Amino acid sequence: MKKHFLLSSISLVTILLSISCSMSKDSSANQKTCQQPTNIILMIGDGMSTPQVYAAMLTSENPTSFERFPFTGLAKTYSKSHKITDSAAGGTAIATGHKTNNGMIGMDSDSIPVPSVLEILSEKGMKTGVIATSYITHATPASFVAKNINRNNYEEIAMNFAKSNKVDLLIGGGRKHFNQRQDGVNLIEQMVSEGWNYYDTLINIKESDKTMILASEGHLPSYPSRGNFLPDATVLALEKLSGSENGFFLMIEGSQIDFAAHNCDSTYLVNELHDFDNTINKVLDFAEKDGNTLVIVTADHETGGLTMIDTNGRYTETFFKFSTGSHSPLMVPVFAFGPGSENFTGIMENTDIVKKIYQLLECNHN
Ligand code: MG
Ligand code: ZN
């Protein structure tokens, strides 16, 4: 029964894709929507809505990476179960195109597993990678690889990562969920015996098919304590994945923007934003040179209810103020660069992002 539902939802997507593609084929006005990218890079700033983006601009000496994007839109973030999403439902919406209940990873609100963009593009022959500065098993990266009814089942999620034949490169933290497990299984040893290359630091990486780098037992340290881990991991991943014949899909998360905002810590927040901004610049440098890479930067939700208040009543000084230690329901920005980027404008659902990616990848096949 469950399988039947899964299959019918996939074929529905396929039907919708072919309808929209044949429509755009018939209309010359819509031909722009058929610019097909070879590579897709999806970047998620966890907890990063427009107040956070503007906080990065206000505290940056140079123009930020965000200002390099030719197209921008806004995405609604509410989940199936709540007005305010968590990172599990938010990540799942972005990764799979399905709104689901808060707490759920890679499944729809009926607990039926749904394929992620990473999995679908892997099946098309593209190489895939996931980078985070949190546990790699944390909600956002997990949404692209794992299926679980509860985001806190970290050891089950680690097992999903170990068993996935769809992901080629993993870089992040959360080593303890792989090798200090309640079931006593050492997933790292198991993965290595099955052909994975494993490293506990960013250096020493060699050319190979499947590579996992777990650089920390738990989350990575905050920026700047972790150094340039995120931009360096990104450059390394781009070098590794860009050799792929059929293109690649890479998800990069600025995981700790959310952590900083939960802590109502504006110094931590600004540091994390600058680290993510620096990473986006590396990605855009690659995409500019490559010419066939679509880059999307968005967020799963806003964290902190961040606002900038007038501190002296004369509009001359601003102060970052958190109105909550929780998430808020704000829309989040969608920044797009590269072939097909003109499709990511206006107000959309968070589930539309991946649907637009599928449309772009299907069009030229007709
Ligand atoms: Mg996250
Ligand atoms: Zn959060």
Side-chain angles (χ1 to χ4, degrees), residues 161-179:
F161 274 86
K163 297 278 176 233
S164 172
N165 56 0
K166 307 278 163 61
V167 67
D168 302 295
L169 179 64
L170 294 168
I171 307 179
R175 194 190 302 138
K176 64 183 177 186
H177 301 137
F178 290 78
N179 67 359

Side-chain angles (χ1 to χ4, degrees), residues 164-277:
S164 172
N165 56 0
K166 307 278 163 61
V167 67
D168 302 295
L169 179 64
L170 294 168
I171 307 179
R175 194 190 302 138
K176 64 183 177 186
H177 301 137
F178 290 78
N179 67 359
Q180 295 168 47
R181 298 165 54 84
Q182 301 222 316
D183 62 10
V185 175
N186 187 329
L187 286 180
I188 296 175
E189 282 177 6
Q190 210 175 82
M191 290 168 80
V192 168
S193 77
E194 286 163 10
W196 280 80
N197 292 280
Y198 169 74
Y199 304 90
D200 60 8
T201 159
L202 270 185
I203 45 175
N204 289 335
I205 191 170
K206 292 181 195 112
E207 283 306 315
S208 62
D209 269 334
K210 293 202 162 217
T211 300
M212 176 165 73
I213 299 172
L214 297 179
S216 176
E217 225 174 74
H219 300 305
L220 270 294
S222 61
Y223 184 81
S225 300
R226 65 171 177 268
N228 287 324
F229 180 87
L230 190 59
D232 288 353
T234 297
V235 168
L236 192 148
L238 293 174
E239 276 170 15
K240 222 174 131 51
L241 296 173
S242 60
S244 163
E245 226 176 280
N246 298 314
F248 66 85
F249 171 83
L250 176 62
M251 195 290 288
I252 304 160
E253 187 196 19
S255 316
Q256 297 195 26
I257 296 166
D258 173 71
F259 298 3
H262 278 293
N263 290 355
C264 300
D265 183 336
S266 51
T267 305
Y268 183 8
L269 177 69
V270 164
N271 285 339
E272 287 295 335
L273 286 165
H274 288 168
D275 182 55
F276 195 51
D277 177 39

